[in-house]
Amino acid sequence: MAPHRRTPLTTAALLTAAAALLSGCGNGVPTGAAPPAAGCPTALASAISAVAQAENTDTAWHGPTTGPAAVPGKSIVYVAQTMTNPGVAGVAKGVEEAAKAIGWQVRVIDGEGTPAGIQAALSQAITLRPSGIVIGGFDPQLTSRQMARAEAADVPVIGWHAVGTPGPSTKPKLFTNITTKVEDVARISADWIIARSRGDAGVVLFTDDSIPFARNKSELIRKQLATCSGVRLLSYENIPIPDAGSRTPQTVSSLLSRFQDDWTYSAAINDLYFADAAPALRAAGKPGSGPPFNIGAGDGDPSAFQRINSEQYQAATVPEPLNQQGWQIIDEFNRAFSGGPASGYVAPVHVATAGNSEGATSWDPSGYREAYRRIWGG
């Protein structure tokens, strides 16, 4: 385990600052922290409190503790958007691990990231006549014909990041969809900037407006940033994810020229923008530890954790608990096979930094394996 790093403000210090701000006492801001200069004490106190809670790693399991005992002899096919997507691959690993624990068979079919490949993969999955199918990280509207075949065959389908909201879906028909709430992810990403900057930041926001889910997330981030008058949105950069590798470095160079030291923070709807921004920031002589201080409102893939832990042009991410979500998928299938409803569980948001990740390359909360094993054991 890597040594615990000292963060700019510990959780205790953040809570102390929040309490002081709420009581109207500026002297409660931790030593070395700038006093709130933006005139948004209520928004700042709320952000500090929310971030302190989200950065906590010593959280108890608040997911399901009751449910049906394991239904034996089931088979699951996980249809992946592409296994080169670390989020999709991370969930697949969790599904395989949980299936082994419950005694089921799993097969992963890679859609290889193209509409034709995904359609072929889902067609193959249906032909295998499995007990259940996972939509791993793609829009089921791309595969409406195959989805109709699955429904006609009475095969339950569970999505991971398949639609924009967690829970059951009628169009497309999903027993449930596993994801954190985009509203929570967006809010905590903006709150992290408000809290860390003490309400005084110049922000660049990177997004992909061609994806409705991403556009909604970035609009929610922008709305939350606007709750603090001292946080200024310098630029809203619409860069399609497929073009991020080619366009982001040039865009970053232009932003540095335009805003210079006024650019102190960034948020992005996906961590990958900061992998592409790093060369331009490095070439401009910007330190890897910031500013600008960058937070990804994305999956929290291993490369993002590596940038954060090594302080290389990313300071934080809002990661999905990918392995835990894989276990949840198996539990939701067990509920479907038992004739019951979905659990309704939605994982709370978490903020990972160099100070609380302790060298890990994923967010893997505790307690869920034991809880699910107890449920399935009957």
Side-chain angles (χ1 to χ4, degrees), residues 170-305:
T170 54
K171 292 184 179 180
K173 185 173 176 57
L174 300 172
F175 179 74
T176 193
N177 180 58
I178 309 300
T179 182
T180 49
K181 292 181 180 178
V182 65
E183 296 86 355
D184 295 342
V185 173
R187 186 181 302 112
I188 201 65
S189 302
D191 279 347
W192 182 85
I193 291 174
I194 294 169
R196 197 187 188 287
S197 70
R198 291 296 178 270
D200 183 12
V203 183
V204 172
L205 178 55
F206 296 93
T207 190
D208 180 350
D209 279 348
S210 70
I211 303 173
F213 179 79
R215 183 174 64 248
N216 180 41
K217 185 190 291 187
S218 56
E219 286 299 323
L220 290 167
I221 293 172
R222 175 159 36 188
K223 182 178 179 181
Q224 186 67 11
L225 290 172
T227 63
C228 184
S229 59
V231 175
R232 306 164 304 284
L233 184 63
L234 302 177
S235 186
Y236 181 96
E237 295 296 330
N238 174 28
I239 302 176
I241 286 176
D243 300 334
S246 59
R247 288 181 51 183
T248 303
Q250 183 178 354
T251 298
V252 168
S253 295
S254 175
L255 290 166
L256 288 169
S257 177
R258 286 170 59 196
F259 299 114
Q260 300 182 37
D261 292 342
D262 288 339
W263 177 14
T264 55
Y265 284 82
S266 312
I269 54 94
N270 192 293
D271 293 303
L272 65 84
Y273 287 99
F274 300 127
D276 298 323
L281 292 168
R282 188 178 294 110
K286 291 292 183 179
S289 58
F293 303 100
N294 302 320
I295 183 168
D299 297 343
D301 65 75
S303 66
F305 274 84

Side-chain angles (χ1 to χ4, degrees), residues 21-353:
L21 285 163
L22 287 171
S23 67
C25 176
N27 293 332
V29 178
T31 302
C40 61
T42 302
L44 177 54
S46 176
I48 288 172
S49 179
V51 170
Q53 182 176 350
E55 288 186 347
N56 185 14
T57 58
D58 298 324
T59 54
W61 172 246
H62 294 295
T65 56
T66 61
V71 177
K74 297 298 181 178
S75 62
I76 305 297
V77 175
Y78 183 96
V79 181
Q81 179 251 350
T82 171
M83 288 296 282
T84 62
N85 181 321
V88 172
V91 174
K93 179 182 176 183
V95 168
E96 291 174 328
E97 183 182 283
K100 183 177 180 179
I102 202 173
W104 296 351
Q105 298 297 312
V106 171
R107 179 167 176 177
V108 176
I109 303 177
D110 192 344
E112 299 180 345
T114 67
I118 292 167
Q119 290 164 4
L122 187 51
S123 291
Q124 182 183 354
I126 296 166
T127 302
L128 292 171
R129 301 174 65 87
S131 308
I133 294 173
V134 182
I135 299 297
F138 61 88
D139 184 352
Q141 302 298 339
L142 293 171
T143 57
S144 56
R145 185 176 302 175
Q146 290 82 5
M147 290 291 291
R149 285 178 55 199
E151 184 174 356
D154 201 27
V155 177
V157 178
I158 288 177
W160 179 80
H161 285 207
V163 294
T165 56
S169 170
T170 54
K171 292 184 179 180
K173 185 173 176 57
L174 300 172
F175 179 74
T176 193
N177 180 58
I178 309 300
T179 182
T180 49
K181 292 181 180 178
V182 65
E183 296 86 355
D184 295 342
V185 173
R187 186 181 302 112
I188 201 65
S189 302
D191 279 347
W192 182 85
I193 291 174
I194 294 169
R196 197 187 188 287
S197 70
R198 291 296 178 270
D200 183 12
V203 183
V204 172
L205 178 55
F206 296 93
T207 190
D208 180 350
D209 279 348
S210 70
I211 303 173
F213 179 79
R215 183 174 64 248
N216 180 41
K217 185 190 291 187
S218 56
E219 286 299 323
L220 290 167
I221 293 172
R222 175 159 36 188
K223 182 178 179 181
Q224 186 67 11
L225 290 172
T227 63
C228 184
S229 59
V231 175
R232 306 164 304 284
L233 184 63
L234 302 177
S235 186
Y236 181 96
E237 295 296 330
N238 174 28
I239 302 176
I241 286 176
D243 300 334
S246 59
R247 288 181 51 183
T248 303
Q250 183 178 354
T251 298
V252 168
S253 295
S254 175
L255 290 166
L256 288 169
S257 177
R258 286 170 59 196
F259 299 114
Q260 300 182 37
D261 292 342
D262 288 339
W263 177 14
T264 55
Y265 284 82
S266 312
I269 54 94
N270 192 293
D271 293 303
L272 65 84
Y273 287 99
F274 300 127
D276 298 323
L281 292 168
R282 188 178 294 110
K286 291 292 183 179
S289 58
F293 303 100
N294 302 320
I295 183 168
D299 297 343
D301 65 75
S303 66
F305 274 84
Q306 289 162 6
R307 287 190 296 275
I308 291 165
N309 291 332
S310 61
E311 298 185 335
Q312 289 298 305
Y313 304 102
Q314 187 167 350
T317 186
V318 184
E320 299 273 351
L322 302 174
N323 203 74
Q324 177 264 305
Q325 289 174 333
W327 279 67
Q328 183 181 351
I329 287 170
I330 293 298
D331 182 67
E332 301 291 3
F333 272 125
N334 195 54
R335 293 168 191 271
F337 300 149
S338 302
S343 73
Y345 177 65
V346 180
V349 291
H350 174 68
V351 174
T353 66

